[in-house]
Amino acid sequence: MKNRISFKLDVRAYTLIIALIMIFVVFTILTNGDFISSRNITNLSRQMTVIGILAVGMTLIIVAGHIDLSVGSLLGLTGGIAAILQVWYGWSTFPVIIVTILAGILLGLWQGWWVAYKGVPAFIVTLGGMMIFRGILLGISGGQTVAPMNESFRVIGQAYIPYVIGYLLTAVLIVFAFIMVARKRKRRQKLDLALSPVSFDYGTVIVFSVLITLFVYMLNRYHGIPVPLLILLVIAGIFIFVSKNTTFGRHIYAIGGNPEAAKLSGINIKRNILSVFVIMGALSAVAGMVLTSRLNAGTVSAGQMYELDAIAAVVIGGTSLMGGVGTIVGSILGALIMASIDNGMSMMNVPPFWQYIVKGMILILAVWLDISSKKKTAS
């Protein structure tokens, strides 16, 4: 039995990687090499984690054909809840984490119920949620900054993984990548499906392994792998698997791509839409705790404008605002691109107003490219 050979590149993913490399090269030149110092790479990886966590959930929301404008306020509220429970009421870290995540889940469930079962557009529900959650935060905190957090809680956003464990995790990840490629090739060969050249599949993994090892080496030259980055990678890994290898993930893409066809095929649209909002609520709570831990305080301004940064990261990462198309890997790259631009311009002392202008133009350009590519495909 002869297998067909295919050599197909994910053009969008490679475009993002090339854009990211160009951004690194430009800022490295303009900052005389400071941009790629171990300290700045570590700071950059910490800065992107909150938006990265939000972007994972936002990818599922947008792929399903909806939007969530409340994630910034929900992040601020759940982070405030965590701070209040620990600082004012003396709760230990573990119950604070559990209750904060449950709060995020309940608030996500509430919004998802309105969208899925009452038919209120997600734009309106989450716009209302954005104002409601911010108002609740102001009310329960009295407009105060709530600090300081316990040392055990600060681990979430400020601690680092020891060097040895960092290299061990890297080795495990590389071995896992090779195993997954081998299994994928074996499965496709058994089904007589198209295969990419062996040199391409394993060459890609080798390049990935070298880059990951170099990245971990740079982090270890400073203090090690930041715990919030590890949290982001674990969350991303879980939902990459869910989106690609589970019935729930396939249903989300089907709903966003063609709701009518999904309904006729027997997919429970309401339950799945409710589920993505619940997931978004839980991830907002996790992001809220990471930010509160990093700041060592719960503040009333926490999370402001974060919803726009998360949406921008997702769109730049290739997720279509029309639904049905998008990847979590692309969204993480989009978050890294946004964080890199912020970080690089801050190092160059670029005025904040220019930073907003540049990010806004990048977002418009990303959407234009998405629309243009769809028109070319349709024609």
Side-chain angles (χ1 to χ4, degrees), residues 105-176:
I105 288 172
L106 287 174
L107 293 171
L109 180 68
W110 180 74
Q111 291 196 120
W113 177 77
W114 281 105
V115 176
Y117 289 93
K118 293 301 178 181
V120 182
F123 180 88
I124 299 299
V125 171
T126 58
L127 181 62
M130 178 175 68
M131 294 183 282
I132 292 168
F133 301 151
R134 187 64 62 182
I136 294 173
L137 174 59
L138 286 167
I140 63 175
S141 67
Q144 304 176 49
T145 295
V146 184
M149 307 301 293
N150 291 351
E151 185 178 351
S152 58
F153 190 89
R154 294 200 299 271
V155 168
I156 298 171
Q158 298 183 16
Y160 296 88
I161 303 296
Y163 305 151
V164 175
I165 297 177
Y167 284 124
L168 181 62
L169 291 173
T170 303
V172 170
L173 179 62
I174 291 171
V175 171
F176 180 75

Side-chain angles (χ1 to χ4, degrees), residues 41 71 78 98 108 157 161 190 199 204 226 240 276 279 289 298:
I41 293 296
V71 293
T78 51
I98 298 300
I161 303 296
K190 185 177 180 180
S199 58
T204 301
I240 288 171
V276 294
I279 291 170
M289 287 187 289

Side-chain angles (χ1 to χ4, degrees), residues 47-335:
Q47 290 168 11
M48 69 159 288
T49 52
V50 173
I51 298 302
I53 292 169
L54 293 179
V56 171
M58 190 66 74
T59 303
L60 299 178
I61 293 279
I62 295 178
V63 164
H66 295 279
I67 197 77
D68 191 341
L69 300 177
S70 69
V71 293
S73 295
L74 183 52
L75 176 155
L77 175 57
T78 51
I81 289 172
I84 288 170
L85 289 176
Q86 185 155 95
V87 177
W88 289 358
Y89 293 96
W91 286 31
S92 60
T93 297
F94 184 72
V96 166
I97 291 172
I98 298 300
V99 170
T100 301
I101 292 176
L102 286 175
I105 288 172
L106 287 174
L107 293 171
L109 180 68
W110 180 74
Q111 291 196 120
W113 177 77
W114 281 105
V115 176
Y117 289 93
K118 293 301 178 181
V120 182
F123 180 88
I124 299 299
V125 171
T126 58
L127 181 62
M130 178 175 68
M131 294 183 282
I132 292 168
F133 301 151
R134 187 64 62 182
I136 294 173
L137 174 59
L138 286 167
I140 63 175
S141 67
Q144 304 176 49
T145 295
V146 184
M149 307 301 293
N150 291 351
E151 185 178 351
S152 58
F153 190 89
R154 294 200 299 271
V155 168
I156 298 171
Q158 298 183 16
Y160 296 88
I161 303 296
Y163 305 151
V164 175
I165 297 177
Y167 284 124
L168 181 62
L169 291 173
T170 303
V172 170
L173 179 62
I174 291 171
V175 171
F176 180 75
F178 275 100
I179 291 173
M180 291 302 295
V181 169
R183 289 183 60 184
K184 180 181 177 181
R185 290 186 62 85
K186 186 176 180 180
R187 185 169 60 249
R188 292 182 69 86
Q189 188 174 21
K190 185 177 180 180
L191 297 172
D192 194 30
L193 296 175
L195 286 172
S196 300
V198 174
S199 58
F200 174 73
D201 280 346
Y202 287 105
T204 301
V205 178
I206 291 171
V207 172
F208 165 79
S209 302
V210 171
L211 292 176
I212 288 296
T213 303
L214 178 62
F215 178 65
V216 173
Y217 168 74
M218 293 294 290
L219 294 177
N220 283 343
R221 285 185 61 193
Y222 187 56
H223 289 308
I225 300 174
V227 169
L229 177 61
L230 185 61
I231 292 172
L232 169 61
L233 294 176
V234 170
I235 289 172
I238 291 170
F239 285 101
I240 288 171
F241 176 83
V242 168
S243 64
K244 290 187 174 183
N245 299 283
T246 67
T247 302
F248 170 72
R250 289 188 288 270
H251 284 179
I252 296 304
Y253 280 89
I255 291 168
N258 192 329
E260 290 300 322
K263 184 177 181 180
L264 292 173
S265 64
I267 296 174
N268 191 326
I269 294 178
K270 292 181 179 179
R271 185 178 64 194
N272 282 284
I273 295 301
L274 180 67
S275 297
V276 294
F277 277 96
V278 169
I279 291 170
M280 186 74 256
L283 293 180
S284 296
V286 173
M289 287 187 289
V290 170
L291 181 62
T292 299
S293 172
R294 193 175 78 199
L295 299 176
N296 193 27
T299 67
V300 293
S301 62
Q304 286 184 343
M305 300 292 288
Y306 278 28
E307 59 277 348
L308 300 184
D309 283 341
I311 293 170
V314 171
V315 173
I316 289 170
T319 299
S320 172
L321 289 172
M322 303 302 292
V325 177
T327 65
I328 289 170
V329 172
S331 297
I332 297 298
L333 288 174

